[in-house]
Amino acid sequence: MTDFNIATMARKAKNASRVAAQLNSSEKNTLLNDIATAIENNSDAIIQENTKDITAGREKGLSQAMLDRLVLTEKGIKEISSAIREIIALTDPVGDIDKLSLRPNGIQVGKMRIPLGVIAMIYEARPNVTAEAAALCIKSGNAVILRGGSEAIHSNLAIADCLHQVLTAHNIDEHVVSVIPDTSRTVIEELLKQSDTIDLVIPRGGEGLIRYVSENSRIPVIQHYKGVCHLYIDKYADLTKAVDILVNGKTQKPSACNAFETVLVHTDISEKFLPLAAKALNEAAKVKVHACKNSINYFTGAELATEDDYQAEYLAQEIAVKVVNSFDTAISHINEFTSDHTEVIISQDISRSQRFIRQINSSVVMVNASSRFSDGNQLGLGSEIGISTSKLHAYGPMGLEALTTEKFIVFGDGQIRE
């Protein structure tokens, strides 16, 4: 595309970010409501374009996990609109003043939340990201540049048309949301050089994409390489809860990064739990099991687990199983193989659950609940723009507040420094 220039787009986004930063909450909410309506009203056109992507994806041999993330149905589009309306209902963090305190010399010092500026999203499949990331950035007063993958280009551009229609109708700079129409790798390379105009890069997709972005960016990057989520069945577990949570966390949506990939079972409960787990996993989805030598006989057709299995993100109906001889062994295993995403303990012993929470420092740690709740929407953030496992700036699912920063503000009455 000879007339397309990343540096020009980034500069326009920077200018538009100043417009976005000045919108008040009412203006932003009106925009988002109209965007949700526009997406619903254009459902047929979006699905038609999405069908082109699905057809091309199958011809390219995309994995089932990738195709699952790519497909848009009428229900899926309604879910996108619903997610945007949930963002409308969230409190706008921009302009909030916190920690206002009086200093001995009479000045008052506080911190105010402000937008980050320009966010660049680089993502694979997931056309819903186009709409939901745009909505989160608008609500938090940022401009956003969206670079989706070639596998979703028709879907992304169809959704972008809806966004731009609404921005134009409200006489707002359409570069508040920019969707890159070029899916070549050189575009990413150029995008990652725009450190003068882009403030943060958020990659969403496979580990290869995220490592490439992290290693080649001149701009700060929010990192989330993969989701190796662990389920630990403690010796004081309620077996009914344990089986239900295992099945839900593994089989409901195995292509999601918050699905279980490894289950650890305390040896004291293994003889009771493993037969139940084997039966339930087979009935739910005929899950392929990679089992340790102490658990393999409980599973029909299981393979002996290797160390690679305990660091694998299967994103499929597959799971690794290991029997551990103590609570501390379970903690050690998780700390060795963690991806810092989500870890779960099933236990009726409060003190052991509290130890688990204290000793595991993944971005989300749960007690007696499915890892599938490790999601911005389920955690009360509205839609999430990404997940951070890199601890700096944000950690875990990222919502509105994670798209802002703080500036110091000072109120005085003529004070001067002696």
Side-chain angles (χ1 to χ4, degrees), residues 4 22 32 88 97 114 123 143 172 235 273 315 332 374 406:
F4 178 72
Q22 296 306 310
L32 295 182
I88 293 171
I97 298 175
I114 60 171
Y123 53 105
I172 292 172
K235 69 177 180 179
F273 174 74
L315 299 176
S332 295
S374 184
E406 292 178 313

Side-chain angles (χ1 to χ4, degrees), residues 298-332:
Y298 291 95
F299 300 93
T300 303
E303 296 180 359
L304 188 63
T306 66
E307 185 164 307
D308 287 344
D309 289 311
Y310 295 123
Q311 53 195 356
E313 184 184 32
Y314 295 111
L315 299 176
Q317 299 290 12
E318 268 181 270
I319 196 166
V321 177
K322 184 176 184 179
V323 173
V324 293
N325 58 19
S326 69
F327 178 93
D328 290 338
T329 304
I331 295 292
S332 295

Side-chain angles (χ1 to χ4, degrees), residues 83-367:
I84 293 171
R85 291 196 171 98
E86 287 178 6
I87 294 170
I88 293 171
L90 296 174
T91 301
D92 184 353
V94 178
D96 282 354
I97 298 175
D98 192 23
K99 302 172 185 174
L100 196 63
S101 61
L102 185 65
R103 303 295 299 150
N105 60 3
I107 64 171
Q108 293 187 79
V109 179
K111 301 186 87 173
M112 177 185 284
R113 290 224 156 259
I114 60 171
L116 291 172
V118 179
I119 312 297
M121 286 285 301
I122 301 171
Y123 53 105
E124 298 171 337
R126 295 183 176 96
N128 62 298
V129 171
T130 303
E132 294 174 21
L136 282 164
C137 287
I138 289 171
K139 179 83 176 201
S140 55
N142 295 288
V144 64
I145 299 173
L146 298 161
R147 194 280 187 185
S150 59
E151 69 284 343
I153 186 61
H154 295 97
S155 308
N156 291 337
L157 291 177
I159 292 170
D161 282 344
C162 299
L163 299 170
H164 288 151
Q165 286 172 21
V166 174
L167 289 167
T168 300
H170 285 267
N171 199 30
I172 292 172
D173 189 339
E174 69 173 19
H175 293 96
V176 166
V177 180
S178 302
V179 177
I180 297 175
D182 189 333
T183 60
S184 65
R185 178 58 68 93
T186 56
V187 166
I188 297 181
E189 294 173 1
E190 194 63 25
L191 187 67
L192 298 176
K193 296 176 183 177
Q194 307 305 315
S195 56
D196 290 340
T197 47
I198 298 174
D199 298 282
L200 182 68
V201 177
I202 304 176
R204 288 184 66 174
E207 184 177 359
L209 170 71
I210 296 170
R211 289 198 182 278
Y212 174 84
V213 170
S214 300
E215 291 167 5
N216 290 276
S217 181
R218 297 179 184 174
I219 307 162
V221 177
I222 291 293
Q223 298 169 343
H224 159 227
Y225 292 122
K226 59 183 179 179
V228 181
C229 302
H230 294 85
L231 172 65
Y232 168 53
I233 312 298
D234 186 44
K235 69 177 180 179
Y236 298 112
D238 179 308
L239 295 187
T240 300
K241 293 177 185 176
V243 170
D244 289 346
I245 288 170
L246 169 62
V247 170
N248 179 258
K250 178 67 264 183
T251 69
Q252 188 207 35
K253 191 174 182 181
S255 61
C257 61
N258 60 11
F260 289 128
E261 305 293 16
T262 294
V263 57
L264 305 174
V265 183
H266 195 290
T267 186
D268 289 2
I269 206 171
S270 61
E271 289 185 8
K272 293 181 180 178
F273 174 74
L274 288 172
L276 299 174
K279 182 174 184 292
L281 289 173
N282 185 60
E283 290 178 350
K286 297 192 182 303
V287 176
K288 181 177 180 180
V289 175
H290 304 265
C292 71
K293 63 181 181 180
N294 293 323
S295 60
I296 193 167
N297 291 334
Y298 291 95
F299 300 93
T300 303
E303 296 180 359
L304 188 63
T306 66
E307 185 164 307
D308 287 344
D309 289 311
Y310 295 123
Q311 53 195 356
E313 184 184 32
Y314 295 111
L315 299 176
Q317 299 290 12
E318 268 181 270
I319 196 166
V321 177
K322 184 176 184 179
V323 173
V324 293
N325 58 19
S326 69
F327 178 93
D328 290 338
T329 304
I331 295 292
S332 295
H333 179 99
I334 293 172
N335 283 335
E336 180 178 356
F337 294 101
T338 184
S339 62
D340 290 324
H341 193 297
T342 301
E343 323 297 357
V344 177
I345 183 174
I346 309 299
S347 182
Q348 296 302 107
D349 187 300
I350 295 174
S351 65
R352 289 167 77 88
S353 297
Q354 290 297 320
R355 281 178 61 198
F356 189 85
I357 290 174
R358 286 194 305 271
Q359 293 180 31
I360 297 295
N361 285 326
S362 293
S363 63
V364 180
V365 184
M366 299 183 176
V367 177

